[in-house]
Amino acid sequence: MKTSSRFLTAVILLAFLLWLKARWNSIQAQWPEFQQISSYPQQAHAKQEAASNDRHQSPSDKLRAPIRPSVPNRVIVVAKQSDDDTDWLMDELPDWQHAVYTLDDPTTPGFLHLPKSARPLKATAYLTYIIDNYFSLPSTLVFVHPHRSGFPRALHNEFPDHDPPHDIVYALKRLRIDFVQENGYANLRCTHEPGCLDEIRPFREPRDAWRSGAESVYAEAWKTVFNSSKDDEVPWVVGTPCCGQFAVSRRQVWKRGIGEYMWFRKWVMENGLEDEICERVVEYLWHVIFGRRSV
Ligand SMILES: *[C@@H]1O[C@H](CO)[C@@H](O)[C@H](O)[C@H]1NC(C)=O
């Protein structure tokens, strides 16, 4: 009897030790990630740059976009309507991660969805991607429309003479990642019209009736988004190639805190502007958000 109870105690003790060891291993495994987040931003930048320049290192997590670990560390973010076909991403650009939001249908499996209360705009989706993935961003991020090519629906893309015309796949295959890394931000459009050189003049007098409503609400938008109270902090001229398709480096995104992106998104959701005008205003804010001058 005594022997068997001793034996039992020994077995229980051993089991306990094994369990402790397993716990310890799992805590140790999570430790680097935890440290990385808690020491953010100073050390995390350098460490993450080094650790994941080519491959993703972070474990996936429900909030984040699906990560395919074997794919290089760069993402294409798209916001689509449910009837837009984005199969071209997988077919033509499999060496990118993809984060595709469906704006009008929160049920389609295989896509990302905005929070229920969110305003279903491209701007909301882009900012949601940045906010949800802020601490584990790939080193290069590209934001594009869902239409691969064609005229006029993909007019916003370059290369009208390519076959197919206005093909974003052709553009992205030629994108110089090293330039994006060096410069921080690149508009994906080179054609100046529309947008350059002075699309938005927030204080134009008299107002041009034919101009989009974006211009007349731009100054107020600027002041809210950038927390400025004075008109003289709003630029007189804003010009950038149109259409809000751009590439940005993680380092550039991190020049603003996550709170600022949440602030932008809150403004997008609550500004009361018509959808089209709101999207237009945001198109002429991205380059400034990502560190460029207004023109
Ligand atoms: C503006 O102020 C709000 C509230 O104080 C803050 O949360 C937000 O990050 C600020 N935005 C910018 C762009 O500085």
Side-chain angles (χ1 to χ4, degrees), residues 223-228 256-264 266:
K223 286 192 282 184
T224 313
V225 165
F226 296 118
N227 285 337
S228 97
R256 294 184 183 277
I258 189 171
E260 293 184 48
Y261 297 102
M262 293 166 106
W263 178 253
F264 296 148
K266 185 165 149 36

Side-chain angles (χ1 to χ4, degrees), residues 74-228:
R74 54 194 190 192
V75 68
I76 300 174
V77 182
V78 174
K80 76 183 204 93
Q81 304 295 330
S82 43
D83 56 358
D84 289 327
D85 176 2
T86 49
D87 286 353
W88 56 268
L89 284 169
M90 244 347 212
D91 296 344
E92 304 290 338
L93 299 162
D95 53 344
W96 287 76
Q97 322 251 353
H98 309 134
V100 184
Y101 289 82
T102 48
L103 297 178
D104 59 340
D105 176 4
T107 55
T108 335
F111 295 103
L112 297 166
H113 306 292
L114 297 177
K116 281 220 168 56
S117 58
R119 194 175 174 192
L121 299 181
K122 284 200 283 294
T124 326
Y126 295 0
L127 290 166
T128 298
Y129 179 83
I130 291 175
I131 292 163
D132 286 354
N133 299 280
Y134 187 82
F135 295 103
S136 59
L137 291 172
S139 60
T140 305
L141 297 83
V142 160
F143 297 85
V144 294
H145 296 205
H147 311 120
R148 173 185 169 174
S149 63
F151 182 87
R153 66 182 193 145
L155 190 56
H156 42 264
N157 298 337
E158 284 297 324
F159 304 115
D161 302 329
H162 182 257
D163 179 25
H166 299 283
D167 185 9
I168 190 69
V169 168
Y170 184 64
L172 289 179
K173 285 189 169 164
R174 294 160 60 97
L175 179 67
R176 284 190 37 214
I177 304 278
D178 53 345
F179 175 80
V180 178
Q181 286 300 317
E182 205 173 292
N183 202 51
Y185 170 89
N187 194 312
L188 294 181
R189 191 174 159 91
C190 310
T191 308
H192 283 181
E193 284 289 319
C196 296
L197 296 167
D198 63 346
E199 180 69 15
I200 305 263
R201 288 184 174 269
F203 304 103
R204 194 190 304 267
E205 286 295 346
R207 296 248 173 249
D208 283 342
W210 60 270
R211 272 178 198 279
S212 70
E215 185 174 85
S216 55
V217 299
Y218 192 88
E220 277 317 303
W222 177 286
K223 286 192 282 184
T224 313
V225 165
F226 296 118
N227 285 337
S228 97

Side-chain angles (χ1 to χ4, degrees), residues 35-50 134-135 251 254:
Q35 266 186 325
Q36 210 167 42
I37 289 172
S38 59
S39 63
Y40 172 85
Q42 288 84 1
Q43 300 100 309
H45 277 200
K47 242 192 268 174
Q48 288 206 342
E49 282 305 315
Y134 187 82
F135 295 103
R251 211 174 305 122
W254 277 347

